[in-house]
Amino acid sequence: DQQVKQNSPSLSVQEGRISILNCDYTNSMFDYFLWYKKYPAEGPTFLISISSIKDKNEDGRFTVFLNKSAKHLSLHIVPSQPGDSAVYFCAASSSDYKLSFGAGTTVTVRA
Amino acid sequence: NAGVMQNPRHLVRRRGQEARLRCSPMKGHSHVYWYRQLPEEGLKFMVYLQKENIIDESGMPKERFSAEFPKEGPSILRIQQVVRGDSAAYFCASSSTGQGAYNSPLHFGNGTRLTVT
């Protein structure tokens, strides 16, 4: 039962443009959402998070938007840089230590 | 400022052998979590441990898998009599508190890639 879904396995964007990654979830008990970034042969690195009491959280070039009614969140990266090329995982938690991860979206930033 | 250390990075085992994966948490972290990533899938929770205690092993397969986090030394994920379906990347994470994602996002190691031949 895949509770967190990332329906786009890959995304290609030109350097300097915006990258938009999408994530949908089914469990209405989720109240905390995170994005992790992963390079090949490395572990996931925490990027940004958002609590369900907010609809937006911004950290530098990264912004996460949450639409609770649609059970949807997105990650915006502006402007995209070559070093942003990686796999991005959406994860969700329901007030405990367990994270449910999506399958990931591979972002490629073209020069 | 060492992060979460996992070893070995790569492990090859034949069917029926045992696999031992080790994880040393970040300095000051006493909460350890193991996740498994199968090919083309996201990470899936396996087990949560504190020193000398298993807090939650609801994600562990019922047979052949066990985990420990002794008072001294690293956490160990042990897989007995490995099968090809056990081939995956196994990630360990640690946190400073066990109060969930709010207070301390998980810090992951670089993983152990297990290949069963």
Side-chain angles (χ1 to χ4, degrees), chain A residues 31 36 41 43 97-99 102, chain B residues 9 35 42 56 58 102 106 109-110:
Chain A
D31 58 1
Y36 279 83
Y97 43 81
K98 291 183 195 176
L99 294 179
Chain B
R9 291 295 306 273
Y35 282 76
D56 183 345
S58 59
Y102 293 111
L106 298 186
N110 285 335

Side-chain angles (χ1 to χ4, degrees), chain A:
Chain A
D1 58 339
Q2 192 74 4
Q3 298 185 80
V4 178
K5 295 182 181 179
Q6 294 176 256
N7 292 318
S8 297
S10 63
L11 172 70
S12 180
V13 63
Q14 195 164 8
E15 182 178 2
R17 306 294 288 268
I18 184 171
S19 294
I20 300 177
L21 291 77
N22 294 302
C23 177
D24 297 293
Y25 61 96
T26 57
N27 188 341
S28 58
M29 298 300 291
F30 287 148
D31 58 1
Y32 195 64
F33 305 89
L34 309 91
W35 285 93
Y36 279 83
K37 176 180 179 179
K38 184 181 180 303
Y39 292 117
E42 294 185 10
T45 303
F46 170 72
L47 194 58
I48 191 170
S49 63
I50 188 167
S51 165
S52 59
I53 62 174
K54 296 186 176 181
D55 55 18
K56 176 183 175 181
N57 187 26
E58 189 172 354
D59 183 1
R61 297 186 297 113
F62 303 92
T63 303
V64 56
F65 296 92
L66 176 63
N67 183 333
K68 283 175 56 181
S69 61
K71 293 191 177 69
H72 176 84
L73 66 155
S74 61
L75 174 68
H76 292 207
I77 307 173
V78 182
S80 299
Q81 299 175 353
D84 296 331
S85 296
V87 179
Y88 290 79
F89 290 99
C90 172
S93 172
S94 54
S95 302
D96 67 9
Y97 43 81
K98 291 183 195 176
L99 294 179
S100 294
F101 283 84
T105 296
T106 300
V107 172
T108 303
V109 180
R110 309 185 309 272

Side-chain angles (χ1 to χ4, degrees), chain B:
Chain B
N1 187 19
V4 178
M5 303 300 292
Q6 288 188 250
N7 65 81
R9 291 295 306 273
H10 300 275
L11 183 61
V12 180
R13 285 288 178 264
R14 291 185 180 148
R15 279 181 298 170
Q17 291 184 320
E18 178 179 289
R20 282 184 179 240
L21 289 64
R22 289 177 290 277
C23 169
S24 296
M26 284 183 67
K27 188 176 181 180
H29 287 189
S30 59
H31 302 261
V32 166
Y33 314 80
W34 286 92
Y35 282 76
R36 175 167 68 172
Q37 184 184 20
L38 295 171
E40 308 301 323
E41 295 186 14
L43 284 74
K44 287 187 167 51
F45 170 81
M46 299 182 75
V47 62
Y48 163 36
L49 311 103
Q50 294 180 28
K51 284 286 187 182
E52 300 185 277
N53 287 306
I54 297 175
I55 307 302
D56 183 345
E57 55 182 348
S58 59
M60 291 273 272
K62 294 288 186 282
E63 297 177 351
R64 303 186 296 108
F65 284 70
S66 62
E68 63 177 7
F69 189 16
K71 186 176 180 181
E72 301 291 339
S75 174
I76 306 288
L77 179 66
R78 181 183 178 203
I79 311 172
Q80 295 178 289
Q81 300 172 0
V82 296
V83 300
R84 288 216 172 104
D86 297 333
S87 295
Y90 292 82
F91 292 97
C92 171
S94 71
S95 67
S96 57
T97 74
Q99 294 179 17
Y102 293 111
N103 295 326
S104 53
L106 298 186
H107 297 266
F108 284 87
N110 285 335
T112 293
R113 276 143 191 86
L114 172 65
T115 301
V116 180
T117 61

